[in-house]
Amino acid sequence: MAHSDLLTVPFAGAPIFTRSRALRPTGKVLPEHARSHNRALVLQTLYSSGARSRADVSRETGLTRVTISDLVADLIAEGLVVELGQREAARPGKPATLIDVARDAFQIIGLDLSEHEVFRGAVTALDGTIAERIELARGGATGEAAALLVEQLVDRLLALATIPVLGIGVGSPGVVDPLGVVRSAPNLGWVDLPLQARLAARTELPVHVANDANVAILAEHGETAPGELLLIKVGHGVGAGLIVGGRPVIGGGFAAGEIGHVVVGTDGGPRCACGKDGCLEAWVAEPRLTAQLAAVGASRGSSVGAGDGDTDAAAAAARDEILREAGRRLGIVLAPVVGALNLTEVVLSGPADLLDGAFHEATVDTLRQRTMAELNRDLRLRMSEQAEDIVLRGAAVMVLSGQLGVS
Ligand SMILES: [Zn+2]
């Protein structure tokens, strides 16, 4: 590699791929890493900008032609980059050969283990487009039974893959360390489950495991790509993914974003599965909200004169208030986070029938009431548009980024 290329490698703290807004690596860029960074830079450029000539890539990355030719030769040998033929010549002379990421050469397996009723999985293209999907009913399985179900899901997805699989990405509930050990996932009864190692040994493929909200935010990051982004994921539990300064925040104990068991306020509240009263999860988690709404529906159905206008209106108001109260509680928990980090964008991911309405309004109102006007002028709280596929798509980004340095 030409020495001058080392100088073009951005150093820690500087955005590596500002143009395409990729996630920034979390470590320092040392000279011995320059080659892999350059390689990622080439892949990133092709991935986000499409087919190009080697000369284009050289221009856009600032790397020398020689370095690009070198890297591209290796990438072609590995099957990650393909030559697409020659560009129509605009000028006399030899037309340039176009190269691109081998978009059709690999698929990715994504798993979402965060839901109450089902384990979800998909075979996706490199860009996260879902080719095949499978849902396995969890049937309340926990511990080893749940782990076996995950293996079964992976086996079935691998059987559906039509081309080589680049890797497997898993979004798991709970606290997951960087080695893919699920340190603790109470809802699944997992303690120190080496999920990454176990699936890697079984499949002989690269496997990446992370907390489901941290995976979900990777799918959103590709869409909006601000330097700061907070994603709140409401499902079986409540979790958050956080990107600050373009970097995912994992936390010293790998539990960043675990806001579900933060107690909201000092006025008590519903008893939580963890034993405390008034945890965010006890107010906001999907099973809790659904049960509360069902209780209102049931009392209406059994009351005398059910179906008349007044009772219907009263039940609707009661349901609205349940959602509004939950939204307020979320706003109370988020306000200091939004204030401290000066966040301008918060994304809500979860069932739209519960979140996109009174709940959302109450969260926004509460955030505005509780943060400085100068801070919240530009604050946006929006629903994720990725619906139930958010973790599956994020898992694809995680694998791509982990294996190729591309996102
Ligand atoms: Zn709790």
Side-chain angles (χ1 to χ4, degrees):
M1 178 189 316
H3 178 69
S4 64
D5 285 344
L6 291 175
L7 302 176
T8 66
V9 175
F11 291 92
I16 301 290
F17 312 125
T18 37
R19 219 174 32 75
S20 51
R21 298 162 156 180
L23 291 172
R24 296 170 205 177
T26 45
K28 282 194 174 182
V29 180
L30 300 169
E32 63 265 32
H33 297 147
R35 187 175 175 82
S36 66
H37 274 280
N38 290 347
R39 175 188 153 97
L41 198 52
V42 170
L43 286 168
Q44 180 71 52
T45 302
L46 291 171
Y47 185 76
S48 52
S49 312
R52 273 162 162 55
S53 70
R54 287 170 176 80
D56 295 334
V57 176
S58 166
R59 210 166 20 250
E60 290 176 31
T61 58
L63 300 175
T64 65
R65 293 284 292 271
V66 174
T67 298
I68 293 295
S69 290
D70 232 32
L71 287 167
V72 167
D74 286 354
L75 289 167
I76 288 175
E78 291 169 55
L80 295 172
V81 165
V82 283
E83 289 192 327
L84 295 177
Q86 292 181 338
R87 173 189 282 156
E88 301 255 323
R91 293 184 298 271
K94 188 166 172 262
T97 302
L98 295 177
I99 54 172
D100 195 5
V101 174
R103 291 168 198 268
D104 302 327
F106 294 97
Q107 287 174 320
I108 292 173
I109 304 283
L111 264 60
D112 176 4
L113 311 181
S114 66
E115 290 199 27
H116 185 51
E117 304 285 345
V118 295
F119 282 162
R120 222 184 267 284
V123 180
T124 77
L126 287 193
D127 65 2
T129 309
I130 291 175
E132 299 277 357
R133 60 171 81 231
I134 297 180
E135 282 181 13
L136 289 186
R138 187 164 75 84
T142 56
E144 181 57 19
L148 290 172
L149 208 55
V150 173
E151 290 182 348
Q152 197 191 328
L153 183 56
V154 167
D155 290 350
R156 288 181 53 184
L157 289 164
L158 282 173
L160 289 176
T162 50
I163 47 179
V165 170
L166 184 66
I168 300 173
V170 184
S172 167
V175 177
V176 184
D177 75 17
L179 296 176
V181 176
V182 182
R183 297 281 187 97
S184 157
N187 294 339
L188 292 175
W190 287 347
V191 177
D192 293 334
L193 176 75
L195 191 57
Q196 186 269 335
R198 195 162 150 169
L199 294 178
R202 187 179 183 83
T203 62
E204 297 183 337
L205 285 168
V207 179
H208 301 262
V209 183
N211 169 271
D212 61 298
N214 291 335
V215 173
I217 201 168
L218 298 178
E220 283 300 327
H221 186 269
E223 302 290 316
T224 57
E228 274 70 38
L229 179 67
L230 174 64
L231 176 133
I232 305 296
K233 190 164 173 296
V234 176
H236 192 179
V238 179
L242 184 58
I243 287 175
V244 175
R247 294 184 170 86
V249 178
I250 305 303
F254 320 119
E258 286 291 311
I259 57 169
H261 298 285
V262 170
V263 173
V264 191
T266 55
D267 59 343
R271 176 59 51 96
C272 179
C274 75
K276 298 195 293 265
D277 289 330
C279 287
L280 181 63
E281 202 158 301
W283 288 106
V284 171
E286 185 180 355
R288 175 72 71 151
L289 284 179
T290 309
Q292 277 185 284
L293 295 175
V296 171
S299 69
R300 184 196 65 162
S302 62
S303 65
V304 179
D308 70 43
D310 287 354
T311 347
D312 280 353
R319 280 196 293 272
D320 222 46
E321 183 48 32
I322 289 167
L323 295 171
R324 206 170 285 284
E325 180 61 22
R328 273 196 290 270
R329 297 286 166 167
L330 178 60
I332 292 170
V333 169
L334 293 189
V337 180
V338 166
L341 297 177
N342 188 14
L343 298 174
T344 53
E345 185 163 31
V346 179
V347 178
L348 260 183
S349 165
D353 56 331
L354 295 178
L355 306 183
D356 196 6
F359 181 103
H360 178 271
E361 279 168 30
T363 305
V364 172
D365 289 347
T366 308
L367 276 174
R368 292 206 188 284
Q369 284 157 16
R370 287 176 172 252
T371 51
M372 279 168 66
E374 292 81 357
L375 286 183
N376 68 35
R377 204 166 19 230
D378 301 323
L379 177 64
R380 234 176 114 220
L381 178 76
R382 64 175 175 86
M383 293 295 301
S384 167
E385 284 164 16
Q386 309 226 21
E388 64 179 29
D389 289 336
I390 188 164
V391 174
L392 297 176
R393 293 177 57 95
V397 175
M398 178 166 65
V399 170
L400 206 54
S401 153
Q403 294 307 115
L404 306 183
V406 165
S407 65

Coordinates of all heavy atoms in Angstrom, one line a residue, residues 308-348:
D308 N -74.9 1.2 24.1 CA -75.5 2.5 23.9 C -74.4 3.6 23.7 O -73.2 3.3 24.1 CB -76.5 2.8 24.9 CG -75.9 3.1 26.3 OD1 -74.9 3.8 26.3 OD2 -76.4 2.6 27.3
G309 N -74.7 4.7 23.2 CA -73.8 5.7 22.8 C -72.9 6.2 24.0 O -71.7 6.3 23.9
D310 N -73.6 6.4 25.2 CA -72.8 6.9 26.3 C -71.8 6.0 26.8 O -70.6 6.4 27.1 CB -73.8 7.2 27.5 CG -74.7 8.5 27.2 OD1 -74.4 9.1 26.2 OD2 -75.6 8.7 28.0
T311 N -72.2 4.7 26.9 CA -71.2 3.7 27.4 C -70.0 3.5 26.4 O -68.9 3.4 26.8 CB -71.9 2.3 27.6 OG1 -73.3 2.5 27.5 CG2 -71.4 1.7 28.9
D312 N -70.4 3.5 25.1 CA -69.3 3.4 24.1 C -68.3 4.6 24.2 O -67.1 4.4 24.2 CB -69.9 3.5 22.7 CG -70.5 2.1 22.3 OD1 -70.2 1.1 23.1 OD2 -71.1 2.0 21.3
A313 N -68.9 5.8 24.4 CA -68.0 7.0 24.5 C -67.2 6.9 25.8 O -66.0 7.3 25.8 CB -68.9 8.2 24.5
A314 N -67.8 6.4 26.8 CA -67.1 6.4 28.1 C -65.9 5.3 28.0 O -64.8 5.6 28.5 CB -68.0 6.0 29.2
A315 N -66.2 4.2 27.3 CA -65.2 3.2 27.2 C -64.0 3.7 26.3 O -62.9 3.5 26.6 CB -65.8 1.9 26.6
A316 N -64.4 4.4 25.2 CA -63.4 5.0 24.3 C -62.5 6.0 25.1 O -61.3 6.0 25.0 CB -64.0 5.7 23.1
A317 N -63.2 6.8 25.9 CA -62.4 7.8 26.7 C -61.5 7.1 27.7 O -60.4 7.5 27.9 CB -63.4 8.7 27.5
A318 N -62.0 6.0 28.3 CA -61.2 5.2 29.3 C -60.0 4.6 28.6 O -58.9 4.6 29.1 CB -62.0 4.1 29.9
R319 N -60.2 4.1 27.4 CA -59.1 3.5 26.6 C -58.0 4.6 26.3 O -56.8 4.4 26.4 CB -59.6 2.8 25.4 CG -60.1 1.4 25.7 CD -60.3 0.6 24.4 NE -61.3 1.1 23.5 CZ -62.6 0.8 23.6 NH1 -63.0 -0.1 24.5 NH2 -63.5 1.4 22.8
D320 N -58.6 5.7 25.8 CA -57.7 6.8 25.5 C -56.8 7.2 26.7 O -55.7 7.5 26.5 CB -58.6 8.0 25.1 CG -58.1 8.7 23.9 OD1 -57.7 8.0 22.9 OD2 -58.0 10.0 23.9
E321 N -57.5 7.3 27.8 CA -56.7 7.7 29.0 C -55.7 6.7 29.4 O -54.6 7.1 29.9 CB -57.7 8.0 30.2 CG -57.1 8.5 31.5 CD -56.1 9.7 31.2 OE1 -56.3 10.5 30.3 OE2 -55.1 9.8 32.0
I322 N -55.9 5.4 29.2 CA -54.9 4.4 29.5 C -53.7 4.7 28.6 O -52.5 4.7 29.1 CB -55.5 3.0 29.3 CG1 -56.5 2.6 30.3 CG2 -54.3 2.0 29.2 CD1 -57.3 1.4 30.0
L323 N -53.9 4.9 27.3 CA -52.8 5.1 26.4 C -52.1 6.4 26.7 O -50.9 6.6 26.6 CB -53.3 5.1 25.0 CG -53.9 3.7 24.5 CD1 -54.6 3.9 23.2 CD2 -52.8 2.7 24.4
R324 N -52.9 7.5 27.1 CA -52.4 8.8 27.4 C -51.5 8.7 28.6 O -50.4 9.2 28.6 CB -53.5 9.8 27.6 CG -53.2 11.2 27.4 CD -54.4 12.0 27.4 NE -55.2 11.9 26.2 CZ -54.9 12.4 25.0 NH1 -53.9 13.2 24.9 NH2 -55.7 12.2 24.0
E325 N -51.9 8.0 29.6 CA -51.1 7.8 30.8 C -49.8 7.1 30.5 O -48.7 7.5 31.0 CB -51.9 7.1 31.9 CG -51.2 6.9 33.2 CD -50.9 8.2 33.9 OE1 -51.5 9.2 33.7 OE2 -49.9 8.2 34.8
A326 N -49.9 6.1 29.7 CA -48.7 5.4 29.4 C -47.7 6.3 28.6 O -46.5 6.3 28.9 CB -49.0 4.1 28.5
G327 N -48.3 7.1 27.7 CA -47.4 8.0 26.9 C -46.8 9.0 27.8 O -45.6 9.4 27.6
R328 N -47.5 9.5 28.8 CA -47.0 10.5 29.7 C -45.8 9.9 30.5 O -44.8 10.5 30.7 CB -48.1 10.9 30.7 CG -48.9 12.1 30.3 CD -49.7 12.7 31.5 NE -50.7 11.9 32.0 CZ -52.0 11.9 31.5 NH1 -52.3 12.7 30.6 NH2 -52.9 11.1 32.1
R329 N -46.0 8.7 30.9 CA -44.9 8.0 31.7 C -43.7 7.9 30.8 O -42.5 8.0 31.3 CB -45.4 6.6 32.2 CG -46.6 6.7 33.1 CD -46.1 7.2 34.5 NE -47.3 7.6 35.3 CZ -47.2 7.8 36.6 NH1 -46.1 7.7 37.3 NH2 -48.3 8.1 37.3
L330 N -43.8 7.5 29.6 CA -42.7 7.4 28.7 C -42.0 8.8 28.6 O -40.8 8.9 28.6 CB -43.1 6.9 27.3 CG -41.9 6.8 26.3 CD1 -40.8 5.9 26.8 CD2 -42.4 6.4 24.9
G331 N -42.8 9.9 28.4 CA -42.3 11.2 28.3 C -41.5 11.6 29.5 O -40.4 12.3 29.4
I332 N -42.0 11.2 30.7 CA -41.3 11.6 32.0 C -39.9 10.9 32.0 O -38.9 11.5 32.4 CB -42.1 11.1 33.2 CG1 -43.4 12.0 33.3 CG2 -41.3 11.2 34.5 CD1 -44.4 11.5 34.3
V333 N -39.8 9.7 31.5 CA -38.5 9.0 31.5 C -37.6 9.6 30.5 O -36.4 9.7 30.7 CB -38.7 7.5 31.3 CG1 -37.4 6.8 31.0 CG2 -39.4 6.8 32.5
L334 N -38.2 9.9 29.3 CA -37.3 10.4 28.2 C -36.8 11.8 28.4 O -35.7 12.2 27.9 CB -38.1 10.3 26.9 CG -38.4 8.9 26.4 CD1 -38.9 9.0 25.0 CD2 -37.2 8.0 26.4
A335 N -37.6 12.7 29.1 CA -37.2 14.1 29.2 C -35.8 14.4 29.6 O -35.1 15.1 28.9 CB -38.2 14.8 30.1
P336 N -35.3 13.8 30.7 CA -33.9 14.1 31.1 C -32.9 13.5 30.1 O -31.8 14.1 29.9 CB -33.7 13.3 32.4 CG -34.9 12.5 32.6 CD -36.0 13.0 31.7
V337 N -33.2 12.4 29.4 CA -32.3 11.9 28.4 C -32.2 12.8 27.2 O -31.2 13.2 26.7 CB -32.8 10.5 27.9 CG1 -31.9 9.9 26.9 CG2 -32.9 9.5 29.1
V338 N -33.4 13.3 26.7 CA -33.5 14.2 25.6 C -32.8 15.5 25.9 O -32.0 16.1 25.1 CB -35.0 14.5 25.2 CG1 -35.1 15.7 24.3 CG2 -35.6 13.2 24.6
G339 N -33.0 16.0 27.2 CA -32.3 17.2 27.6 C -30.8 17.1 27.7 O -30.1 17.9 27.2
A340 N -30.4 16.0 28.3 CA -28.9 15.8 28.6 C -28.2 15.7 27.3 O -27.1 16.1 27.1 CB -28.7 14.6 29.5
L341 N -28.8 15.0 26.3 CA -28.1 14.7 25.1 C -28.4 15.6 23.9 O -27.9 15.5 22.8 CB -28.3 13.2 24.6 CG -27.8 12.1 25.6 CD1 -28.2 10.8 25.1 CD2 -26.3 12.2 25.8
N342 N -29.4 16.5 24.2 CA -29.8 17.5 23.2 C -30.3 16.7 21.9 O -29.8 17.0 20.8 CB -28.7 18.5 22.8 CG -29.2 19.6 21.9 OD1 -30.4 19.7 21.7 ND2 -28.2 20.3 21.3
L343 N -31.1 15.7 22.1 CA -31.6 14.9 21.0 C -32.6 15.7 20.2 O -33.4 16.4 20.8 CB -32.2 13.6 21.5 CG -31.4 12.7 22.3 CD1 -32.2 11.5 22.9 CD2 -30.3 12.1 21.4
T344 N -32.6 15.5 18.9 CA -33.6 16.2 18.1 C -34.5 15.2 17.4 O -35.5 15.6 16.9 CB -32.9 17.0 16.9 OG1 -32.0 16.1 16.2 CG2 -32.1 18.2 17.5
E345 N -34.2 13.9 17.6 CA -35.1 12.9 16.9 C -35.2 11.7 17.8 O -34.2 11.1 18.3 CB -34.5 12.5 15.6 CG -35.5 11.6 14.8 CD -35.2 11.5 13.4 OE1 -34.0 11.6 13.0 OE2 -36.1 11.3 12.6
V346 N -36.5 11.3 18.1 CA -36.8 10.1 18.8 C -37.7 9.3 18.0 O -38.7 9.9 17.4 CB -37.4 10.5 20.2 CG1 -37.7 9.2 21.0 CG2 -36.5 11.3 21.1
V347 N -37.4 8.0 17.8 CA -38.3 7.2 17.0 C -39.0 6.2 17.9 O -38.4 5.6 18.8 CB -37.4 6.4 16.0 CG1 -38.3 5.5 15.2 CG2 -36.7 7.4 15.1
L348 N -40.3 6.0 17.7 CA -41.1 5.0 18.5 C -41.3 3.8 17.6 O -41.8 4.0 16.5 CB -42.4 5.6 18.8 CG -42.7 6.2 20.2 CD1 -44.2 6.7 20.2 CD2 -42.4 5.2 21.2

